[in-house]
Amino acid sequence: MSQARVLYDLQQIDTEIRTKKQRLGEVLRLQKEPPALAAAREAAQAAEDELHRWRARHNDLTLEIAGVTDKATRSEERLYSGVVKNPKELNDLQHEVEALGRRRATLEDEALNVMMTVDERRTVERAATAEVERLAGEFNAAVATLKVEQQSLGVHLSKLIEKRGRQATLAQPAALKSYDQLIQEKRGLAVAGLRGSKCQACQMTLAGSTVRAAAEGKLVRCDSCGRILCPL
């Protein structure tokens, strides 16, 4: 087997390794929580916090209404008990009962409005939570598939690396050195196929002498792109 063919086969292995590594990197990246899911979690948390705030306000109003009601009840009992005889004190009690009644009505109106807001916030919170569950479900399903692919890629890469090691031993040191240099210079493509008289990398038609030398098994380079040529 010519050195050109040895390097060409090595090139095919290296290209596949590079492709698999790129895909593996993408697979690992895709297993990170996507921005949409993170944003949905933040929105759900904000909705939950808002719902908690309105529920707390409703609880505060409920307690205040209970306090006002209790105070009004005690004032009414005192007003109608007959214990208080002083007209001014009775008048003050009457005003207090009326004021407490007005305060309770105001609080009850506010509590009703707050309760309506609680219902609205609950709807928003449920929708936000459902969106998180939907996105998380899709993400988890995708991750499960990606992990299977990750394992497959790892096994395949391990085999390719072993295969590369065996293939590299077939290359002469000087040829392998030239190959490694060209890999760096030519963005990972050091060896080009030669079909007829055309370089398959740059698509240029080559001189007859170059084509003949390649056919004879000599290690020659493309007149145009400088890559090692391997007759196909």
Side-chain angles (χ1 to χ4, degrees), residues 154-192:
V155 171
H156 199 169
L157 272 169
S158 180
K159 292 179 179 178
L160 283 171
I161 290 170
E162 289 180 5
K163 184 178 179 181
R164 188 198 189 280
R166 292 192 298 269
Q167 184 66 24
T169 62
L170 301 176
Q172 296 172 357
L176 190 58
K177 182 178 180 180
S178 295
Y179 172 84
D180 289 338
Q181 289 176 343
L182 285 170
I183 282 288
Q184 299 298 320
E185 296 172 6
K186 303 298 182 180
R187 297 182 180 180
L189 186 62
V191 185

Side-chain angles (χ1 to χ4, degrees), residues 64-203:
E64 189 173 355
I65 289 170
V68 169
T69 300
D70 181 63
K71 186 175 181 179
T73 298
R74 285 187 281 106
S75 294
E76 285 181 339
E77 289 175 352
R78 182 174 172 75
L79 176 64
Y80 301 118
S81 66
V83 174
V84 180
K85 305 296 184 182
N86 187 292
K88 183 178 183 307
E89 188 175 352
L90 287 170
N91 187 57
D92 290 343
L93 277 172
Q94 181 65 43
H95 287 314
E96 182 181 8
V97 168
E98 292 173 355
L100 289 170
R102 291 191 297 271
R103 177 58 180 162
R104 181 172 61 188
T106 298
L107 290 172
E108 287 174 344
D109 286 344
E110 185 178 355
L112 178 61
N113 290 331
V114 169
M115 193 65 239
M116 292 173 63
T117 301
V118 167
D119 289 340
E120 293 171 359
R121 293 297 96 194
R122 185 185 296 113
T123 299
V124 171
E125 188 271 339
R126 286 174 177 171
T129 299
E131 179 67 2
V132 170
E133 292 174 352
R134 182 185 71 81
L135 291 173
E138 292 177 354
F139 174 61
N140 291 335
V143 167
T145 301
L146 289 166
K147 284 190 177 299
V148 172
E149 185 179 359
Q150 178 184 339
Q151 184 176 11
S152 176
L153 285 168
V155 171
H156 199 169
L157 272 169
S158 180
K159 292 179 179 178
L160 283 171
I161 290 170
E162 289 180 5
K163 184 178 179 181
R164 188 198 189 280
R166 292 192 298 269
Q167 184 66 24
T169 62
L170 301 176
Q172 296 172 357
L176 190 58
K177 182 178 180 180
S178 295
Y179 172 84
D180 289 338
Q181 289 176 343
L182 285 170
I183 282 288
Q184 299 298 320
E185 296 172 6
K186 303 298 182 180
R187 297 182 180 180
L189 186 62
V191 185
L194 177 62
R195 198 177 301 279
S197 60
K198 183 176 290 187
C199 171
Q200 297 302 295
C202 65
Q203 300 300 310

Side-chain angles (χ1 to χ4, degrees), residues 2-18 160 163-165 167-193 219-221 226-230:
S2 70
Q3 284 296 292
R5 188 69 203 192
V6 168
L7 295 179
Y8 181 81
D9 291 345
L10 182 61
Q11 174 75 82
Q12 303 310 301
I13 297 170
D14 279 346
T15 298
E16 189 173 2
I17 287 174
R18 184 170 61 254
L160 283 171
K163 184 178 179 181
R164 188 198 189 280
Q167 184 66 24
T169 62
L170 301 176
Q172 296 172 357
L176 190 58
K177 182 178 180 180
S178 295
Y179 172 84
D180 289 338
Q181 289 176 343
L182 285 170
I183 282 288
Q184 299 298 320
E185 296 172 6
K186 303 298 182 180
R187 297 182 180 180
L189 186 62
V191 185
L219 208 60
V220 295
R221 297 191 184 189
R227 292 179 173 89
I228 298 169
L229 294 169
C230 176

Side-chain angles (χ1 to χ4, degrees), residues 207-228:
S209 58
T210 301
V211 174
R212 285 192 296 273
E216 293 170 359
K218 296 178 180 178
L219 208 60
V220 295
R221 297 191 184 189
C222 173
D223 302 329
S224 177
C225 69
R227 292 179 173 89
I228 298 169

Side-chain angles (χ1 to χ4, degrees), residues 41-84:
R41 291 190 193 282
E42 290 182 6
Q45 185 60 57
E48 183 180 344
D49 292 344
E50 185 72 358
L51 175 59
H52 178 75
R53 185 173 71 83
W54 283 103
R55 278 175 170 167
R57 177 56 183 157
H58 187 265
N59 288 339
D60 290 344
L61 286 169
T62 299
L63 290 174
E64 189 173 355
I65 289 170
V68 169
T69 300
D70 181 63
K71 186 175 181 179
T73 298
R74 285 187 281 106
S75 294
E76 285 181 339
E77 289 175 352
R78 182 174 172 75
L79 176 64
Y80 301 118
S81 66
V83 174
V84 180

